[in-house]
Amino acid sequence: MLAEDDRLEVVDTRASSAGFGGLADVFLVAGVGRADSLPASRPTVVLSDSPADILPLGNGLRAWMPMNATAAEIGAAIAAAAHDLVVLTRPQARQLAAQQHAIHPDAAHRDEEFPTETLTARELQVLRMLSDGLGNKEIAGQLGISGHTAKFHVAQILAKLGARSRAEAVFIGIRRGLVPV
């Protein structure tokens, strides 16, 4: 069913772990129970009814999806993994947010404490550039504005989101769906 996806080229359909040493860009493995049995060197998408034993995913592991995932979901996960992105299911994202809350319990509370002002289109653009790791000078250069104006936009974003740092603003933006992941 994946061979029908124009983005993918299926090169090996063996069901054994011997395929791990191959030349494929992304491995698709089904029925694995634990992540420690997977290759760390290649991007890997896992289909399993066992819950993911490590979140966030890392090393070679790019996605841990249920066995009943659709072909479109699997294809999207493989395409994302080929671009070095990590894919989380909605329950995994909730679990990761809960873990982050356990580590930084005041972050979510602060987020709910502050009334949320709507970001302007330009502020959304700057927030997304912040998520790419750009500094004020780089933002200014790409947008054709002064460094002072870029700094002003960043300050406005921090104030409107109730964030204490650029990284926290990006985290809040991701959680609120303002920054695509």
Side-chain angles (χ1 to χ4, degrees):
M1 81 182 158
L2 292 175
E4 295 174 13
D5 191 324
D6 293 338
R7 299 172 297 177
L8 307 176
E9 179 182 346
V10 178
V11 294
D12 188 358
T13 58
R14 290 179 284 162
S16 72
S17 62
F20 287 156
L23 299 175
D25 291 330
V26 177
F27 289 109
L28 175 63
V29 181
V32 173
R34 294 189 47 84
D36 57 8
S37 63
L38 299 170
S41 60
R42 298 283 183 155
T44 303
V45 173
V46 172
L47 298 176
S48 178
D49 285 330
S50 300
D53 55 355
I54 56 169
L55 281 179
L57 308 173
N59 293 329
L61 186 56
R62 296 289 184 262
W64 191 283
M65 304 177 70
M67 291 290 284
N68 65 351
T70 66
E73 291 168 333
I74 296 167
I78 291 170
H83 289 93
D84 201 29
L85 298 173
V86 172
V87 177
L88 297 175
T89 63
R90 191 174 303 273
Q92 290 168 342
R94 279 192 219 104
Q95 179 185 352
L96 183 58
Q99 288 172 353
Q100 290 297 316
H101 178 70
I103 295 169
H104 305 288
D106 63 328
H109 182 68
R110 275 196 324 273
D111 188 26
E112 294 165 2
E113 259 177 30
F114 289 95
T116 304
E117 290 185 57
T118 305
L119 298 180
T120 65
R122 177 64 82 169
E123 289 165 348
L124 282 172
Q125 189 177 20
V126 171
L127 178 61
R128 291 175 181 149
M129 295 173 102
L130 289 175
S131 75
D132 289 334
L134 299 182
N136 291 350
K137 287 182 183 179
E138 295 166 310
I139 292 169
Q142 286 192 18
L143 296 178
I145 59 177
S146 73
H148 177 74
T149 302
K151 184 177 178 180
F152 175 78
H153 285 311
V154 171
Q156 287 296 106
I157 292 166
L158 295 177
K160 287 181 177 183
L161 296 179
R164 290 189 253 180
S165 68
R166 298 160 73 97
E168 187 178 9
V170 170
F171 178 76
I172 292 168
I174 290 170
R175 194 171 57 231
R176 293 184 182 173
L178 301 173
V179 176
V181 182

